[in-house]
Amino acid sequence: MISVSKSLIVSRTCVAILALNIFSFVLVHAQDEPQPAIHGIAVANMDRSVKPGDDFFLYANGDWIKRTEIPPDRGRIGVFTVLSELSDKRTAGLIEEMAKGNAQNGSGARKIADLYNSYMDEAGIESRGLAPLEPRLKAIAAIQNKQELAHALGENLRADVDALNNTNFHTANLFGLWVAPGFNDSDHYAAYLLQGGLQLPDREYYLATSDRMRDLRSKYQTHVSAMLKLAGFTDPDARAARIVELEHAIAQTHLSLADNENIHKANNTWQRADFEAKAPGLEWAEYFRGAGLSKQASFIVWQPGAFVGESALVASTALDTWKDWLAYHLIEAYAGVLPKALADERFAFFGKTLSGTPEQRPRWKRGVETVNRLLGDEVGKVYAQRYFPPEAKAQADAMVANIIAAFRKRIEALSWMDPSTKAEAQAKLTTLYVGIGYTGTWRDYSAYEVEKDDIFGNFWRGSLFDYQRHVARLGAPVDRKEWSMTPQTVNAVNLPLQNALNFPAAILQPPFFDPQAPAASNYGAIGSVIGHEISHTFDSEGAAFDSKGRVRNWWTPSDLAHFEAATAKLAAQYDTYKPFPDLSVNGKQTLGENIADVAGISAAYDGYRASLAGQTAPTQEGFSGDQQFFIAFAQNWGSKSREASLRQQVLTDPHAPGPYRAATVRNIDAWYAAFDVQPADKMYLGAPDRVRIW
């Protein structure tokens, strides 16, 4: 879904469920069209009985939290939830128009209508039963030896991972392919291979020894057995036990999410011959033949240890166990477009048990997500024209320019940075491409075949179409202005290998961005989002890339040492945050996002002050401009989460939960002055302890 990226939020979407999103959610003013009654901060959402210096998150969001219930089909709620629902409703309306328009066969509009209708045809799905799956299962059952297994594993390779944005990072296939600008040749697309093979969200779900995780693993094994039984397999309990045991062994080979952040350790170029020499066990020639990559001379292997370990497991684990593993992963991946019993069992575990979500999202919403996943740009063309006026684009462009200018001034003012390092940092800002609203080049779906009564085939062909599109780009020149998100996506992204940013149309609306709101709230809300994404250019990962997107150390040794000391200090700060007595935020895992939050709000504040041109900001209900700015920022991160959902976020998400993102203000001097925060207040940090990076 996303190219090389660092996003404001992270969405992990699986073919089978199409609904288990892992977002850092935010407050919203309305349940449908986000039209604030007051243009500015949501004063009604605040709890002014809380002292801002004790808990700024609750001060800004407490009354909203008290009166808001999490919908039964959500693990958590906030502005991203509601804005996504708004985008879904708009998209559903566009789909309905296309369906009624009798569009020509093969046209984009016809494909959208047919794809959506095929997903909504529950009666047809039930009547076909397991028939769409059976040829695939028979092919797996017919595998006779490890050579044929290698070929089958290669055939299952998909371009379903994004290392820098952690999208589907632990692919259910043995490995994942990522096609992106090369680490060492950013002018051409390169092939990256990443660890995979797990169905649970992260290696910790297999390896953690807590009673809670042991219980989850037991329930997961029961779920695997249930899925196999529903698919007609004999002896499902024994098969499930072997599958989970194999996934546990795979998890032991995996690099942790925190360790995966080190770009320099990921920069491992392997020639084809290196795979047999360095990772024996899997018949690599047959694997690459199955994957259609026989002519690819080299790959960047992100986690070499996982490739060594997983390849060895192919050799040491019984063939029948691997065949069961392949069959189970196939069933799981397509359960959402198979008979209801399979879809319900999948949601019962991954939705209810794992994420704590009581109800599955309505089918029409999942249908919209299906269309966005497989034909996103085709919908986006119409969405952008309908819902993103030129005036909004012009105002957003102006804010971006102001915040980039603020970054330039902050870089120049750094007393600790050498002039040569400053010059490189400024060069990154000069070449930075910022996309606002929508792409200038829409994706071509002419080769994607959609049939109105074949949702299983539509998914299969859609996944294969996307894979083949990526493979065809290998070695080709990079389009640095290519978008990784659709206009109807409520998110924002930094693409370090392209040195580019995307701000889709759907996020450029209230409460993030309101053309009628004061500058203070706009800069605190969308301005901090813009600053966040610009800041990723210089976070713990972004700092490894130069102005052309190459992995290159452009720092002097002393500058790099200062930067690493400051970021280590920030990681230690976040290590102290404990959502639960037995679970802390991982400061290393969330470091890149935390750097972007600190630097982003700092630059947005400077941009806001500059926008005043020396004038005094208007007040809102007695709140000064500076107070509005920081309240708007904290209201970005107001949220309510179910326990299971929050635990999953802490374990698997590179973003800290909302309360701790709001706590970024502890590092900003102006926040202390705005709210008269004193040493006795719980959030107070002495000036030497405040983290200042950019």
Side-chain angles (χ1 to χ4, degrees):
M1 180 182 75
I2 298 175
S3 183
V4 192
S5 55
K6 291 292 289 184
S7 65
L8 177 71
I9 55 179
V10 170
S11 171
R12 298 163 187 260
T13 307
C14 176
V15 164
I17 198 160
L18 291 174
L20 295 180
N21 296 323
I22 303 177
F23 289 135
S24 296
F25 291 124
V26 189
L27 300 187
V28 76
H29 298 264
Q31 288 297 315
D32 228 348
E33 294 284 333
Q35 299 170 341
I38 298 174
H39 299 287
I41 58 172
V43 176
N45 290 344
M46 300 173 62
D47 183 353
R48 285 189 267 186
S49 69
V50 177
K51 196 173 183 181
D54 284 344
D55 192 328
F56 196 60
F57 174 78
L58 287 180
Y59 173 74
N61 305 303
D63 277 9
W64 177 87
I65 291 171
K66 291 175 186 176
R67 68 174 183 264
T68 300
E69 295 294 329
I70 302 173
D73 64 345
R74 293 287 183 177
R76 63 191 95 154
I77 186 174
V79 79
F80 287 103
T81 329
V82 183
L83 288 185
S84 292
E85 298 240 351
L86 170 64
S87 181
D88 285 350
K89 288 180 179 179
R90 288 173 169 175
T91 302
L94 296 175
I95 292 170
E96 186 177 353
E97 289 179 20
M98 294 176 193
K100 292 178 179 178
N102 295 318
Q104 182 179 357
N105 286 340
S107 66
R110 184 76 266 152
K111 288 182 180 183
I112 289 170
D114 288 348
L115 178 60
Y116 181 79
N117 289 334
S118 70
Y119 187 87
M120 297 301 293
D121 182 18
E122 293 181 87
I125 292 171
E126 290 298 322
S127 68
R128 286 185 287 275
L130 296 176
L133 191 67
E134 286 172 356
R136 311 293 175 185
L137 292 177
K138 287 179 180 178
I140 293 171
I143 295 172
Q144 297 295 315
N145 51 54
K146 293 292 179 74
Q147 181 180 8
E148 292 179 5
L149 173 65
H151 189 90
L153 290 170
E155 286 183 323
N156 282 350
L157 182 65
R158 291 294 181 268
D160 60 355
V161 292
D162 176 349
L164 293 186
N165 200 40
N166 202 36
T167 304
N168 272 5
F169 179 69
H170 298 290
T171 174
N173 300 317
L174 186 63
F175 304 115
L177 175 71
W178 183 39
V179 177
F183 272 166
N184 310 302
D185 175 10
S186 62
D187 292 329
H188 298 90
Y189 290 106
Y192 296 76
L193 287 176
L194 283 81
Q195 64 192 12
L198 305 181
Q199 197 70 53
L200 292 176
D202 182 74
R203 69 192 289 270
E204 290 305 309
Y205 281 80
Y206 296 89
L207 306 182
T209 58
S210 68
D211 290 340
R212 173 181 170 78
M213 284 301 197
R214 291 181 191 276
D215 181 58
L216 275 175
R217 286 195 289 272
S218 176
K219 291 176 179 176
Y220 173 57
Q221 185 167 315
T222 300
H223 163 71
V224 175
S225 176
M227 294 294 278
L228 293 172
K229 185 176 181 180
L230 287 169
F233 280 77
T234 60
D235 202 10
D237 289 346
R239 292 175 190 262
R242 291 191 291 268
I243 290 168
V244 174
E245 182 181 6
L246 174 56
E247 289 187 4
H248 180 272
I250 291 172
Q252 289 178 312
T253 75
H254 272 210
L255 200 65
S256 72
L257 179 57
D259 290 337
N260 193 66
E261 297 282 304
N262 191 317
I263 296 300
H264 297 288
K265 289 185 178 179
N267 191 8
N268 309 290
T269 299
W270 285 16
Q271 304 301 319
R272 281 288 307 279
D274 291 329
F275 286 87
E276 285 81 2
K278 296 180 178 180
L282 176 64
E283 295 192 29
W284 286 102
E286 198 62 37
Y287 178 85
F288 287 123
R289 188 175 296 113
L293 292 170
S294 293
K295 295 181 180 179
Q296 182 66 23
S298 65
F299 298 82
I300 298 174
V301 177
W302 198 281
Q303 308 95 352
F307 280 76
V308 174
E310 293 191 56
S311 182
L313 284 170
V314 172
S316 64
T317 303
L319 179 63
D320 284 346
T321 299
W322 276 111
K323 290 164 66 173
D324 287 341
W325 177 91
L326 276 169
Y328 163 65
H329 281 242
L330 174 68
I331 297 162
E332 197 75 77
Y334 287 86
V337 293
L338 290 169
K340 188 173 183 294
L342 281 160
D344 286 351
E345 171 58 34
R346 189 188 204 287
F347 179 77
F349 178 75
F350 284 97
K352 291 181 181 180
T353 301
L354 198 62
S355 299
T357 307
E359 294 180 9
Q360 191 159 205
R361 298 181 70 197
R363 192 167 187 89
W364 75 265
K365 293 182 182 179
R366 288 176 278 148
V368 167
E369 191 167 356
T370 297
V371 174
N372 283 335
R373 175 183 173 87
L374 297 174
L375 289 168
D377 267 20
E378 202 64 54
V379 177
K381 286 189 288 190
V382 184
Y383 187 98
Q385 185 178 24
R386 181 80 55 89
Y387 295 113
F388 193 61
E391 298 80 13
K393 187 178 190 310
Q395 290 188 45
D397 281 333
M399 289 188 71
V400 169
N402 282 346
I403 294 171
I404 288 178
F407 256 101
R408 288 197 181 280
K409 291 180 180 178
R410 295 185 73 85
I411 290 170
E412 282 305 314
L414 292 174
S415 60
W416 55 268
M417 184 171 279
D418 187 85
S420 64
T421 311
K422 287 183 180 180
E424 291 279 3
Q426 296 286 16
K428 291 197 75 173
L429 290 177
T430 299
T431 60
L432 184 68
Y433 164 72
V434 182
I436 298 292
Y438 52 89
T439 181
T441 306
W442 301 103
R443 187 170 299 174
D444 178 9
Y445 295 98
S446 57
Y448 174 34
E449 179 185 352
V450 177
E451 297 182 9
K452 62 182 179 180
D453 57 356
D454 183 18
I455 185 58
F456 183 95
N458 291 338
F459 263 91
W460 185 275
R461 290 186 295 273
S463 176
L464 194 58
F465 163 77
D466 188 60
Y467 175 75
Q468 292 170 342
R469 182 180 69 86
H470 281 288
V471 169
R473 304 168 80 187
L474 288 171
V478 168
D479 177 4
R480 298 196 179 279
K481 294 184 178 181
E482 181 184 23
W483 273 59
S484 68
M485 291 181 171
T486 64
Q488 63 271 30
T489 301
V490 183
N491 205 341
V493 69
N494 180 294
L495 306 157
L497 283 170
Q498 294 171 222
N499 197 26
L501 312 178
N502 297 166
F503 296 98
I507 200 173
L508 295 170
Q509 57 184 323
F512 286 120
F513 176 55
D514 179 3
Q516 300 182 58
S521 60
N522 268 339
Y523 274 89
I526 194 65
S528 65
V529 171
I530 293 168
H532 173 101
E533 296 306 335
I534 295 172
S535 301
H536 274 311
T537 306
F538 307 108
D539 71 8
S540 52
E541 284 188 351
F545 299 91
D546 67 13
S547 60
K548 294 184 178 180
R550 296 171 300 187
V551 173
R552 182 172 67 85
N553 182 13
W554 45 274
W555 299 69
T556 67
S558 60
D559 287 345
L560 185 59
H562 182 101
F563 177 76
E564 290 177 342
T567 57
K569 188 176 177 181
L570 188 63
Q573 184 181 116
Y574 276 77
D575 281 338
T576 66
Y577 297 144
K578 300 193 70 169
F580 304 100
D582 63 331
L583 185 63
S584 299
V585 174
N586 186 326
K588 184 179 177 182
Q589 175 180 305
T590 58
L591 181 57
E593 300 299 332
N594 299 334
I595 293 170
D597 280 345
V598 172
I601 190 176
S602 299
Y605 178 78
D606 289 354
Y608 149 65
R609 298 296 301 182
S611 76
L612 297 176
Q615 301 297 310
T616 301
T619 62
Q620 180 187 342
E621 296 196 29
F623 292 102
S624 70
D626 277 21
Q627 289 175 327
Q628 293 170 58
F629 173 88
F630 288 110
I631 291 168
F633 171 78
Q635 289 185 338
N636 272 7
W637 306 119
S639 59
K640 288 192 75 169
S641 299
R642 303 184 193 280
E643 179 180 343
S645 177
L646 182 56
R647 285 181 176 274
Q648 185 172 347
Q649 181 186 2
V650 173
L651 286 171
T652 65
D653 201 327
H655 304 78
Y660 311 115
R661 299 190 76 172
T664 302
V665 296
R666 301 177 73 199
N667 297 293
I668 311 300
D669 293 343
W671 174 73
Y672 288 83
F675 295 95
D676 191 28
V677 179
Q678 298 297 315
D681 295 337
K682 295 177 182 178
M683 292 184 67
Y684 182 89
L685 285 175
D689 295 323
R690 298 170 198 169
V691 177
R692 299 173 175 86
I693 299 173
W694 293 100

